Amino acid sequence: MKYFWVLARVCIGLFVAYAGFQKLIQPAENFAAFIRTYEMIPEVIVMPIATILPWLEWLGGALLALGYLTKYSAGLVSILNCSFLLVLLSGLITGSTLGSDCGCFGEASPLKVWHMLVIDSVSFIIAVRLAMRKKFPFSLDALLLKPPKVSKSKMKKRK
Amino acid sequence: MSNQYPRFYIVCGVVLICLLVGIVFVVRDVQHFESGPPVDVSKIKGPMNAPIQIEEYSDLQCPACMRAHFAMKEMMEKYPDKIRLSYNHFPLSMHKWAKIAHRYAQCAAGQDQFWAYHDLLFEHQKEWSKSSDPNPLFLRYAWSIDLNKENLLTCLDDPATMDTIAEDVSDGRALQVRSTPTFYVNGTPFVGGRNFKERFEKYLRKELGLEEEK
């Protein structure tokens, strides 16, 4: 079970980081256009979201995969997943994501809305569980926050 | 936090975050492409010295592109002599008749009738998009603007026509075009048809030093 959580942490971290990285290396306008298809978001905040969100995904995902500040990065990833889920669901309910525009964003990603719903749901559950865990084997946290080894002689002295 | 985490841990984190941020900037820098000068003059309209220079990448079967087309047309009429528009083909594979529509449009460009044909395709987009065979419709539009039949039919079969379209697409991909419509207005990208008119006009008035309309 220990290895399952390591694998889950790395996979989800890499997935989220990749999603953020893909957005970051393109003009922010591309992502802004995608956000606009979900009509619920006011125009004033479209560009700030399109600029900031990919950085949160990239850094949060990469830190989660590497296992640095794992609890917090898992928390950040779960918040991101939760917000994506809400946006996707409301888009499905209002019909704004059902290709009513032109679906022209399909070429950017081969994933359909329902694919993303499944992936985000699974990712959200795992990220929440990770945020609640105390130990993170095979992570930078485990490596850098290792308690200092106490020699046997010192142990005896303490006793 | 500094009490909870040793200094070494914090330093490692700062280095790590700097690295992650650096990777993005390096990849962005490597991917930076400049668009070459447009060769096909028949797909350009507006004065050469216009203060607003636009590179358009659009798909003739895309409804969002149609909306943006009407908005752009309105803007060009509202601000004459201020805008120079250069069209680039960007047919998406998800649109069944896009490639063939672009082929007809490119052939119309060969007869200096690109804009007339392009406007007709957007005006009748709903009609030919839903058709099971749009060729008769495309031909009807072509005759309505007096395109030369023989030249048109030869051009449609010419592999060079498809090559020109493919070149536009690859130029677009190099400029990070991922969806349609995408406009590069004086180098600034405008993506998507939603709120395009409002966003574009706001930018245009700012660039031209005009006051905002109330």
Side-chain angles (χ1 to χ4, degrees), chain A residues 34 38 40 81-98 111-121:
Chain A
F34 178 75
Y38 298 88
M40 71 191 89
N81 277 320
C82 182
S83 52
F84 292 152
L85 272 173
L86 290 174
V87 169
L88 284 172
L89 282 171
S90 55
L92 275 177
I93 292 163
T94 58
S96 59
T97 57
L98 298 174
L111 297 171
K112 299 262 186 286
V113 173
W114 69 269
H115 289 149
M116 284 314 296
L117 270 174
V118 173
I119 292 169
D120 280 340
S121 306

Side-chain angles (χ1 to χ4, degrees), chain A residues 21 24-27 29-30 33 36 39 43 58 63 66 68-69 72 101-105 107 141 144-145, chain B residues 5-6 8-9 13 16 20 24 28 31 62-64 67 93-94 173 176 178-179 189 191 194-195 199:
Chain A
F21 189 73
L24 282 172
I25 59 170
Q26 288 177 33
E29 259 291 329
N30 281 3
R36 280 190 196 101
E39 289 158 335
E43 183 61 36
W58 166 237
L63 293 182
L66 292 166
Y68 186 86
L69 286 175
Y72 298 104
D101 193 347
C102 74
C104 309
F105 304 100
E107 286 226 332
D141 282 348
L144 300 170
L145 296 174
Chain B
Y5 298 106
F8 178 66
Y9 181 83
L16 187 63
L20 291 169
V24 172
R28 268 185 189 173
Q31 283 207 335
C62 154
R67 284 200 296 273
S93 53
M94 67 192 296
R173 291 209 188 284
Q176 304 280 5
R178 294 288 179 272
S179 56
V191 186
R194 211 173 286 271
N195 302 333
R199 286 185 287 134

Side-chain angles (χ1 to χ4, degrees), chain B residues 110-160:
Chain B
Q111 296 185 40
D112 286 331
Q113 289 275 43
F114 173 77
W115 291 108
Y117 198 78
H118 158 275
D119 289 359
L120 275 172
L121 286 181
F122 273 133
E123 277 158 27
H124 297 279
Q125 192 192 62
K126 281 180 186 163
E127 182 186 30
W128 60 265
S129 285
K130 287 173 188 166
S131 162
S132 56
D133 176 16
N135 279 296
L137 290 169
F138 289 151
L139 289 171
R140 202 177 77 201
Y141 306 148
W143 309 152
S144 74
I145 53 167
D146 297 325
L147 288 186
N148 181 290
K149 189 179 180 180
E150 209 173 299
N151 290 351
L152 177 70
L153 296 177
T154 315
C155 170
L156 287 171
D157 292 331
D158 189 349

Side-chain angles (χ1 to χ4, degrees), chain A residues 1 5 16 21 44 59-61 83 96 100 113 120 137 154 157:
Chain A
M1 204 58 187
W5 289 111
V16 174
F21 189 73
V44 194
L59 293 176
S83 52
S96 59
S100 57
V113 173
D120 280 340
K154 277 189 180 175
K157 272 183 189 174

